[in-house]
Every structure is written in structure tokens, then in C-alpha cells.
């Protein structure tokens, strides 16, 4: 009688089981792929946001520093004053011009700008650190005036000059102001030209890790287009050369221009799909796009998916094979039931024996006690036993000792599938999947086991798991590189990620010690016992010692990756073999870390199993070391950049350290040390005041201004000490030129021969308490006084006199010391001022006549012409020539000619207004500049001068001067021209007409033809 079953057709049961198993396997694989896909995309998004935030902060900081550079240069009052005076003087080629040019060039070289320009308010270049052709400054006249009108420092956008092949530029424009309060005005503009290739583009193009498709872009919106501002990695178009429409669908730049911020997906400028992060650069129209190709992001996932798919396919194939056998066995049982149990049993044994002998899997038939009755040929091949040796052998004897025990009792018709480890005859082990089923034939119970060797599948699964862990480690490392603030923090995070995500027992990073031989642990994670052992061991780079032959020392010493996949068999690892067995370490590897091309450290990884570091995994770990090396290079460049900043702060830090140390000492010192500290503080304060006074004296334009500055500063420098500065005149008298503190100068002049300080040539201090002899030159009613000669260039300039009403000897010494320092600086400053005043006078005046020379005339005339063009006024010039002057020289000699020239110059100066300028043009010719005088007034003035010369009324003022007459040509601006050459040419032609008409006359220049 056939047994009753729940399913009418038993052959359908394996199909239903196979379908359910296949659906479960496929569903698990698809779900795992989708989950891993979401994880990969989320990690890529976090990396893009971190890079975008970092670059946007760097660009914002860089723009802020550029504005600060321009503002600091323009805020320098010394520079402002010098620029204002130089521009007011007509931009002459003098010492101020050289100083300004040197300052602009120094600022350009120090700060790395392409050029530094000084322009007038209309944008015309008046001075450039590097020659800048005027024909290229048209864009300045368009861009600078609107920026100056803002009244503050402005940064322009990226732009290109006229030609398409010209470089890109940016400008930082800041106004130079003059005056104060409501009268403040813009007198010039400072323009800092920036080449974006020097810093901006490297910051934008840099990427923290190696990538085939990642890049960062700067774009802006112009009308209906999007303009790419930075160089493109995948296109040769120059910056500002690529434009895409604003309404282009799917374009990441278009999404950003329409207001999207943060993460997005789309395509880039060469239509490749990308993941991107968008950030806006503050205070600019720029948009920063940080993107990476979707192909690169999901490539590792696709490779892993292929491996998972292959594994799932193998599982489905195995399930199909088992299902086929199961269905065949069910059909066979049906036939055996139909033909009889005994015949069915005989056929079953025969067919099973045939199937078993020719199957790819191991098939064992055992009795109810678990002793093998039959085994196929595959079992003989797999276990290494013969058929006779396998027969009667217990199934438990085939199982490895460390493997879990299988089920011993199975109900008839029931079965189980499990994985375990079997052992061959030679003692080697291999992983197996056992499918066991119990069945009854007549009254005898049997147990059939179908055993499949799954060693290769286990290796593939382990490899897939290791690859997944290493990809997670790479991702965590890249995040740590972006996030870490210093090298030590980066080392700690990478070691922790290696144990957490990479599955390593221990990970540590060793650096070369200060002695160049010892390897020191910089960071570690995992087993603290292992790291403590390594630290105690004292690894070194010396290969002659056992501590220098392991993977870590060899990798750092030779600069290449070193590994040991079998610590128990590697002879170089004999020194560590016992410790590795104790700590459960099967294999170890070390990868060198480089900075600036030199090996500086190594990352050591310990795996729990032998053979972990396969060739198909090494490239991932070497990529990890390469990423860390790139990060070390980035930290090193940051350190080098910060080193310059640290050097700038070094003086302040050293001073703070000294003050802190001094403060700690003063806390335990007595009152005497406290008084010395107060004296030191006073000297520092006095030194600062002396430096300030020296700077103010250096800015004085004449000795008289310096005396005023001195009188104003002395009460603060010498509080409670009235005094005066006496200038030594040529006749030996001392004249009081600066008085302060309410001191009434005893006399306008004091004879220097009576002054003891001047007699001795050194400081003289008189106090009533000391009983010293008072100076005969000065009589004071104070307690004491100090007189200090002011010397310079081997001579005596004057005397510094200070009085005090205190009996404190230390105070007297302090006043005397400070007076000596002040006298040294004051002497050099006054000598320089008097020398500069003398040189200026000599450079602008004719040495014979005392009137202005031709150089001063040309500068003055050019400046006045600019002023009348701006204000709409008029100006006239007189070209004066002494008639028959050669005859005077020939008849009376050159001495008489020189006296005649001086008399004529004096007569011209006396016959003009205070604002008029008389200049010697050359030889016997003079030029008189009459600002504000029209042609009629100029002609009348010329006639008066000619008449006075003809009358000879003042001939006695210059003995030996000969009576002469004058010929004068008159011209006026703007009637006869708006330039110096045109105006002087018109006056010269009128003079020529006067001389041709008989001399001793005034001729007005003819009006130019229309």
C-alpha cells in the first residue's frame, strides 16, 4: 500500500523547494546589492560635501586675505601722505617716486601679486611695480572708477584682457584717501593684479586623493549662459571659453545656477553622469561644483556584485543538482513501491552504487550507527582511503577534531544539511557541505550522506569579505584624510578604521625616531597587548640586528611593501614566531608612507589567518598607503605655509615667553628687582616714544617742521622736565628754536663759548645735591639740569637742555641716558633734513641768479596746466631775453655779464606777484609764469618789466651790472596751447618777433589758426 502524502504528485515537492530556495537566494542578493549601492552613494556624498566645504572655506579665506592686503597697504598713513604729496607735486621723478616704486615692488614680490598699480581717480596709471603699457589700461579706466566710488576695498570678478590668448586677471581695488571728515576725498587708487593661476586654480583643481574623474569647478551666470571660470580636467577649453545654456536639462552647473545647493546628480560639461556637491562662494557670483564620475563611484560595487552573482549562481546550481537528485530519488522510490520492496531495494542499491561511483560529490552510505557501508570513487579520491579502508569506518572519524559534531539521530525520512570540516588520511582538512538523509529499507535503517567539497567557495567568500572590508577601509581613510586636522589625528583614525572596518587584529603606524634608527609607535589600534610588545621590543632600521629584519623595519628602510603570509614558515620572522602564535597572528604586512618622495613611516597590519595578503588584495592596501602619502604631502605643504606665519609671530612669542619668565621671577623677587622691572618698562616705553619721535622727524619736510614736532613730543618723552633745543649758528651763538614745558628761553642767543657741554663735547649734568659747577651760559632756578651736545657728521648742530626738580639720583641718570639717546637720533635726523633741504634748493634753483631753474619751471608749468585744465582758469608765460647780452660779455667780461644776469633776475622777481614764478630758461633767457593772468594782464606786466629795465633805476643794487634792455614774448593758455611745449613755443616765437622788430619791446603771440 502506497504511503499517504500531502502532495498528490511528490515530484512537485523538490520543484517547490527549489523555487522557494532560488527566490530566497535571489532576493537576498538583490537586497544586498541595493543596500550596498545606497551605502556607496552615501559615502561618496559625504566625501563630496567635505571637499566642497573645505575648498569654499579656502577660497573665502583667500579672498579675505587679498582684501586685507589692499586695505593694510592703503591704511598706511605714511604711504597715503607720500602718495598725496607726490601726486600733488605733479608725479615728479624724485626720491618719493623711487620710494613709492620700491614699496610697490616689495609688496608685489612679498605677497605674490602679478602687478601693483597706482592710478588716478579716473583709472589712468601713474605708477606700476612692473611696466604696464598704457594702451592696455583702457579696461582700468572702465573698471577702476566705479570700484573707487564704493569708498572701500573691492575685488573684481575674473576677466580676460582684449585678446583671447591673454591671461586671466582679477583686481583688488582700494581707494587712497586724503583729508579728513567731510573733506575726505579719493586722490588715487591702488590696484592689485592677481593671476588666478598662482593660487586660486591650484586650490580649485587639487583633490585630497587619487581619482580618475573627480574635479572641482568654478562657474558663474552671465545672462542666459553659464560660464566655466576654472580649467577643465576633461576638456582643453581655456577658462571663460566654455559656455552652456542656463536651461540645459540635467546639467549640474545649470542646476546650481538655478539655486540648487548641496548634493545633486546629473551630467557635467562633457555629458558624463556625475555625483556633485554645490556651494556658493560668499560675496562673489561664483558657484563651486565638486563632482566625481558615477562610473568611478560604483565601479567597486559592480565588481563585488559580479563575485556575489557568481557565488549565488553556484548556490543555485548546487540546489538544482540536489533537487534533480531528490526528484530522481522520489521517482525511483515510486517505481520500487510498484515492483516490490525487495526488488526496489536491490535496484536502489544498484543504481545508487552506479550514481555514487560516477557522481562529482562524495556519497557515503552508512548504517544507523554511522559506520560506512559503501563509498563512491569520489570519496576514495577525496579522503585518500581505499574502498576497504572506508568500509566500516565511522563518519565521526572523517570529521576534523575542531569541527562541530553532526546530528547522530535522524528519524526515518528526515534529513539535514550542514557545513563542517573533514580530514583526509594525510591529516589535511577541507571544508564540506553535508546533506544527510535517513531512510528505511525493509526493517533496516540507513543513512545516506552527499558531501560536497566547498573549499573553493569558502575561499571566494573569504576573499569577497576581505575585499568588502578593504573598500570600507579605503572609504574611511579618505574621510579621515578630509576630516583630520593633523598627522597624529589622521594616524589614529586610520588605525582605528583598519581594525574596525578592515578586520585586522592590530594596526599600528611607526615613524623614524630622532636618532634616525629607532622606529617609534605613532598610533595604534586593536590589541593593546601586541602594540605594547612591539614598543618594548624596540624595532630599528639596522638590518644587522634581529629587530631590523621584520616587515616593518624592511619596508621603511627599503621603501617598498613587505609581507609575511606564513609567519610560522618565514625564516626572517623566526624572532617573532613564538609571539605571533601567542597573540593569534597568522600573517603580517607593512606598507611604507612617503612624504615629499622620502619614506617617513610605515603602516603595519596583522591578520589572524595565514595567507591573508593575496596579490588581488595588495593593490587595495598599496592604494591605502598612497592615499596616506598624498595626505602627508598635503600636511607638509600646509606646515610650510604656516611656517612663514609662525616666523612672523616668532618675535611676539619670544617676547611673551620672556615676559612670562620675567613675571615668574618677579613674583619671588624683592623690592629692588621690582624697581628694576619698572625701570625696564620705563625704558621700553621711552624707546617706543623715541621710535615714534624719530618717525615723525623723518616725515618732516623741513627743519622748522622738525623743531615743531620736537617741541610737541618732548613733554611726553620727558614729563616734568621743561627744556629747549638751541641751534648753533654760524657766528657761534646758540638760538632757542624749540621750547617746551613752560620754560622761558633766557635769551634768543647764548654764546657757545660759555657752554661747558659744547666745550667738553659731551653730556654735562648739574645738580645742587652733587655740588657740580653750574654752566656759565645758562642760569636756572631748578634743582638741576642736563645739557647734551647734538652732534652729526663730525660737527656740532646744537644743544639739548633739560631741567628737573627732583633729588632722585636714578631719575637724573634716566634723564641723562634718554637725553643722550635722543641727541644721537636728533643729530642724524636734523643733518639729513638740512642736507635734503639744501639739495632740494640746489636742484630747483639756478646757482648764479638764485631764481628757479629750467627743471623747476617745466614741473611747475606742467602742474599749473593740469590745474587750469581742471578748474577752467587761465595762465600766461613771459619769454624774456636780455638784448645784446653777448656784447656785454665781450666788452665788460663774464663777471660783468654774471652781475647783469643777477640784477635782471632780481628786477623780474621784484616786478611780479608772490604767486608768480621767475625761472632762468637758459643763457640770457628767462621765463615768467603768471598763474591766473589772462593775455591782457600778462602783456601789461611785461611792459612794466621792460620799462623798468630800460630806465635802469635799480642798477646800483648790483655793483658792476651793466644797463640792458629786454625783449619779451607773451603767450597764454589755453589760447595758445594746453601743453608746455605748445605754450613755450608760442612765447618763443613772439620773442623772436620782438627781437626781429628791433628788440626792447613786448610782442604778444599770434592766435593759432582754427
Amino acid at each position: 500500500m502506497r504511503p499517504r502524502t500531502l502532495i498528490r504528485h511528490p515530484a512537485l515537492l523538490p520543484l517547490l523547494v527549489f523555487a522557494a530556495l532560488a527566490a530566497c537566494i535571489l532576493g537576498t542578493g538583490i537586497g544586498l546589492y541595493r543596500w550596498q549601492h545606497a551605502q556607496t552613494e552615501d559615502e561618496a556624498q559625504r566625501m563630496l560635501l567635505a571637499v566642497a566645504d573645505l575648498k569654499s572655506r579656502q577660497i573665502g579665506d583667500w579672498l579675505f586675505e587679498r582684501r586685507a592686503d589692499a586695505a593694510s597697504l592703503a591704511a598706511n598713513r605714511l604711504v597715503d601722505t607720500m602718495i598725496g604729496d607726490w601726486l600733488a607735486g605733479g608725479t615728479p621723478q624724485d626720491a618719493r617716486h623711487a620710494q613709492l616704486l620700491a614699496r610697490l615692488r616689495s609688496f608685489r614680490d612679498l605677497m605674490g601679486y602679478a602687478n601693483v598699480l597706482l592710478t588716478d581717480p579716473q583709472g589712468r596709471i601713474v605708477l606700476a611695480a612692473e611696466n604696464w603699457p598704457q594702451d592696455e589700461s583702457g579696461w582700468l579706466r572702465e573698471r577702476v572708477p566705479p570700484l573707487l566710488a564704493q569708498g572701500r576695498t573691492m575685488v573684481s570678478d575674473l576677466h580676460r584682457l582684449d585678446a583671447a590668448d591673454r591671461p586671466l586677471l582679477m583686481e583688488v581695488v582700494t581707494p587712497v584717501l586724503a583729508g579728513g571728515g567731510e573733506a575726505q576725498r579719493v586722490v588715487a587708487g591702488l590696484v592689485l593684479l592677481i593671476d588666478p593661476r598662482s593660487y586660486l586654480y591650484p586650490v580649485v583643481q587639487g583633490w585630497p586623493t587619487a581619482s580618475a574623474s573627480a574635479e572641482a569647478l568654478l562657474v558663474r551666470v552671465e545672462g542666459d549662459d553659464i560660464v566655466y571660470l576654472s580649467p577643465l580636467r576633461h576638456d582643453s577649453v581655456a577658462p571663460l571659453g566654455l559656455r552652456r545654456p542656463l536651461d540645459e536639462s540635467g546639467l549640474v552647473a545649470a542646476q546650481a545656477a538655478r539655486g540648487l545647493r548641496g548634493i545633486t546628480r546629473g551630467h557635467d560639461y562633457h555629458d558624463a553622469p556625475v555625483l556633485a556637491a554645490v556651494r556658493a562662494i560668499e560675496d562673489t557670483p561664483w558657484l563651486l561644483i565638486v563632482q566625481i564620475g558615477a562610473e568611478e563611484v560604483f565601479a567597486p560595487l559592480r565588481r563585488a556584485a559580479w563575485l556575489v552573482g557568481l557565488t549565488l549562481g553556484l548556490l543555485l546550481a548546487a540546489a538544482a543538482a540536489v533537487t534533480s537528485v531528490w526528484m530522481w530519488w522520489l521517482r525511483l522510490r515510486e517505481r520500487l513501491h510498484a515492483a516490490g520492496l525487495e526488488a526496489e531495494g536491490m535496484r536502489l542499491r544498484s543504481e545508487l552504487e552506479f550514481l555514487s561511483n560516477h557522481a562529482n560529490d562524495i556519497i557515503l552510505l552508512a548504517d544507523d550507527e554511522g559506520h560506512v557501508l559503501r563509498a563512491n570513487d569520489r570519496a576514495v579520491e577525496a579522503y585518500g582511503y581505499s574502498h576497504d579502508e572506508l568500509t566500516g569506518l565511522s563518519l565521526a572519524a572523517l570529521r576534523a577534531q575542531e569541527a562541530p559534531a553532526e546530528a547522530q539521530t535522524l528519524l526515518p525520512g528526515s534529513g539535514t544539511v550542514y557545513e563542517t570540516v573533514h580530514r583526509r588520511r594525510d591529516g589535511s582538512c577541507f571544508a564540506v557541505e553535508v546533506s544527510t538523509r535517513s531512510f528505511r529499507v525493509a526493517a533496516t535503517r540507513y543513512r545516506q550522506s552527499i558531501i560536497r567539497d566547498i573549499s573553493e567557495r569558502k575561499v571566494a567568500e573569504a576573499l569577497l569579505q576581505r575585499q568588502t572590508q578593504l573598500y570600507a577601509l579605503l572609504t574611511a581613510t579618505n574621510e579621515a584624510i578630509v576630516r583630520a586636522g593633523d598627522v597624529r589625528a589622521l594616524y589614529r583614525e586610520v588605525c582605528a578604521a583598519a581594525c574596525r572596518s578592515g578586520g585586522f587584529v592590530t594596526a599600528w603606524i611607526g615613524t623614524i625616531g630622532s636618532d634616525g634608527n629607532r622606529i617609534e609607535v605613532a598610533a595604534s589600534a586593536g590589541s593593546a597587548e601586541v602594540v605594547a610588545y612591539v614598543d618594548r621590543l624596540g624595532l630599528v632600521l639596522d638590518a644587522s640586528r634581529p629587530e631590523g629584519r621584520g616587515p616593518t623595519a624592511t619596508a621603511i628602510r627599503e621603501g617598498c611593501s613587505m609581507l609575511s603570509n606564513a609567519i610560522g614558515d618565514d625564516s626572517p620572522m623566526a624572532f617573532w614566531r613564538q609571539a605571533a602564535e601567542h597573540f593569534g597572528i597568522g600573517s603580517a604586512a607593512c606598507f611604507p608612507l612617503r612624504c615629499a618622495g622620502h619614506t617617513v613611516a610605515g603602516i603595519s597590519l596583522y591578520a589572524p589567518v595565514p595567507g591573508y595578503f593575496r596579490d588581488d588584495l595588495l593593490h587595495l592596501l598599496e592604494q591605502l598607503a598612497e592615499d596616506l602619502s598624498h595626505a602627508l604631502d598635503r600636511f607638509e605643504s600646509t606646515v610650510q605655509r604656516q611656517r612663514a606665519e609662525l616666523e612672523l609671530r616668532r618675535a611676539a612669542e619670544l617676547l611673551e615667553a620672556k615676559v612670562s619668565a620675567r613675571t615668574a621671577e618677579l613674583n619671588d623677587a624683592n623690592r629692588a628687582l621690582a624697581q628694576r622691572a619698572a625701570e625696564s618698562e620705563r625704558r621700553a616705553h621711552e624707546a617706543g616714544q623715541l621710535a615714534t619721535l624719530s618717525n615723525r622727524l623723518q616725515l618732516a619736510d623741513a627743519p622748522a617742521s622738525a623743531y615743531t614736532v620736537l617741541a610737541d613730543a618732548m613733554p611726553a618723552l620727558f614729563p616734568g622736565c621743561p627744556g629747549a633745543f638751541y641751534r648753533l649758528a654760524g657766528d657761534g651763538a646758540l638760538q632757542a628754536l624749540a621750547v617746551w614745558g613752560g620754560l622761558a628761553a633766557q635769551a634768543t642767543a647764548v654764546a657757545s663759548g660759555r657752554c661747558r657741554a659744547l666745550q667738553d663735547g659731551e653730556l654735562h649734568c648739574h645738580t645742587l645735591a652733587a655740588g657740580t659747577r653750574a654752566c656759565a651760559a645758562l642760569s636756572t632756578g631748578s634743582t638741576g639740569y642736563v645739557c647734551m651736545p647734538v652732534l652729526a657728521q663730525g660737527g656740532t648742530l646744537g644743544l639739548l637742555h633739560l631741567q628737573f626738580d627732583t633729588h632722585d639720583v636714578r631719575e637724573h641718570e634716566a634723564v641723562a641716558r634718554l637725553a643722550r639717546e635722543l641727541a644721537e637720533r636728533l643729530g642724524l635726523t636734523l643733518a639729513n633734513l638740512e642736507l635734503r633741504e639744501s639739495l632740494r634748493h640746489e636742484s630747483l634753483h639756478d646757482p648764479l641768479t638764485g631764481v628757479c631753474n629750467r627743471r623747476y619751471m617745466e614741473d611747475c608749468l606742467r602742474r599749473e596746466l593740469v590745474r587750469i585744465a581742471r578748474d577752467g582758469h587761465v595762465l600766461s608765460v613771459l619769454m624774456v631775453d636780455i638784448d645784446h647780452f653777448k656784447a656785454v660779455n665781450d666788452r665788460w667780461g663774464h663777471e660783468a655779464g654774471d652781475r647783469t644776469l643777477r640784477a635782471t633776475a632780481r628786477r623780474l622777481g621784484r616786478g611780479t606777484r608772490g604767486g608768480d614764478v621767475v625761472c632762468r630758461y637758459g643763457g640770457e633767457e628767462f621765463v615768467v609764469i603768471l598763474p591766473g593772468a589772462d593775455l591782457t594782464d600778462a602783456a601789461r606786466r611785461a611792459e612794466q618789466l621792460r620799462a623798468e629795465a630800460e630806465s635802469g633805476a635799480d642798477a646800483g643794487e648790483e655793483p658792476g651790472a651793466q644797463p640792458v634792455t629786454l625783449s619779451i614774448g607773451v603767450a597764454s593758455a589755453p589760447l595758445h596751447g594746453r601743453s608746455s611745449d605748445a605754450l613755450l613755443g608760442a612765447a618763443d616765437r613772439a620773442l623772436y618777433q620782438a627781437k626781429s622788430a628791433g628788440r626792447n619791446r613786448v610782442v604778444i603771440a599770434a592766435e593759432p589758426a582754427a
Side-chain angles (χ1 to χ4, degrees), residues 717-768:
L717 187 60
F718 294 94
C721 294
F725 172 72
Y726 294 91
R727 181 67 168 89
L728 182 62
D731 57 358
L734 292 172
Q735 297 179 349
L737 300 182
V739 181
W740 59 88
L743 178 68
Q746 297 176 357
T748 303
V750 178
S752 61
R754 302 173 59 199
C755 178
R756 291 193 58 192
L758 294 180
Q759 290 175 356
D760 300 338
E762 60 183 18
L763 183 140
H764 175 67
C765 182
H766 166 70
T767 59
L768 295 178

Side-chain angles (χ1 to χ4, degrees), residues 17 36 59 89 106 165 226 245 290 293 307 379 409 450 520 571 619 692 715 722 731 747 971:
V17 173
Q36 190 64 37
I59 295 173
S106 174
D165 58 345
I226 300 168
V290 178
L307 292 175
T409 302
I450 300 175
E520 300 177 350
S571 56
H619 74 281
T692 302
D731 57 358

Side-chain angles (χ1 to χ4, degrees), residues 582-658:
H582 172 73
F583 296 126
I585 299 173
S587 54
C590 181
F591 301 88
L593 304 181
R594 298 177 177 86
C595 180
H598 302 287
T599 302
V600 297
I603 178 169
S604 299
L605 304 172
Y606 297 155
V609 296
Y612 180 91
F613 299 100
R614 296 165 52 101
D615 292 341
D616 46 3
L617 297 180
L618 284 180
H619 74 281
L620 297 177
L621 295 173
E622 289 173 348
Q623 180 65 44
L624 169 68
E626 184 177 351
D627 292 346
L628 289 176
S629 297
H630 285 307
L632 294 181
D633 289 337
R634 179 171 63 85
F635 280 120
E636 179 64 21
S637 63
T638 302
V639 169
Q640 291 178 356
R641 186 191 67 198
Q642 293 173 346
R643 189 170 299 158
E645 300 175 359
L646 290 176
E647 291 178 355
L648 294 177
R649 295 194 298 267
R650 184 172 298 169
E653 293 175 354
L654 290 176
L655 180 60
E656 291 177 359
K658 291 181 180 179

Side-chain angles (χ1 to χ4, degrees), residues 370 383 385 392-401 406 422-424:
Y383 291 107
Y385 294 101
L393 192 65
S394 173
L395 292 176
L398 297 177
R399 188 180 69 251
Q401 294 181 357
E406 60 245 26
H422 279 190
R423 184 179 58 197
R424 299 183 180 91

Side-chain angles (χ1 to χ4, degrees), residues 307 310-312 314-315 404 417-422 429-434 452-467 609-612 614 616-617:
L307 292 175
L310 178 61
T311 303
L312 295 180
L314 293 176
L315 289 176
V417 178
Y418 59 92
E419 293 182 359
T420 185
V421 179
H422 279 190
C429 299
F430 61 100
V432 296
E433 181 184 69
V434 182
R452 172 165 296 171
D453 187 348
I454 59 173
S455 300
E456 294 183 357
R457 190 183 77 187
K458 287 295 184 180
V459 170
E461 291 177 352
L463 177 60
L464 179 61
Q465 181 182 9
R466 293 172 186 174
Q467 288 179 336
V609 296
Y612 180 91
R614 296 165 52 101
D616 46 3
L617 297 180

Side-chain angles (χ1 to χ4, degrees), residues 62 66 104-105 107-117 128-132 139 161 167-172 191-199:
W62 177 73
R66 301 291 74 75
L104 294 185
R105 288 176 176 172
F107 189 83
R108 177 201 63 186
D109 296 338
L110 179 62
M111 296 303 179
Y113 289 99
N115 205 346
V116 180
L117 308 177
E130 183 177 353
N131 289 336
W132 190 268
W139 58 275
L161 295 181
L168 290 175
L169 288 177
M170 293 176 62
E171 307 94 50
V172 181
V191 181
L192 310 183
L193 299 183
I194 302 173
D195 186 352
R197 296 173 298 181
S198 63
Y199 182 86

Side-chain angles (χ1 to χ4, degrees), residues 322 325-326 328-330 332 348-349 351-353 355-357 359 361-368 370-374 376 395 410 413-418 434-440 445-451:
V322 172
V325 173
W326 188 8
W328 176 86
W329 184 78
L330 289 176
L332 179 62
L348 178 61
R349 286 193 298 270
E351 292 176 359
L352 282 177
E353 182 177 357
L355 178 63
S356 299
N357 288 333
D361 293 334
I362 300 171
I363 299 179
L364 300 176
L365 181 65
D367 58 17
D368 193 40
H371 295 91
V372 178
L373 300 177
R374 291 181 181 273
N376 65 348
L395 292 176
L410 291 175
S414 64
T416 182
V417 178
Y418 59 92
V434 182
S435 176
T436 299
R437 177 166 290 278
S438 175
F439 61 92
R440 184 187 300 273
R445 294 177 58 186
Y446 297 95
R447 179 181 298 180
Q448 183 187 34
S449 298
I450 300 175
I451 303 171

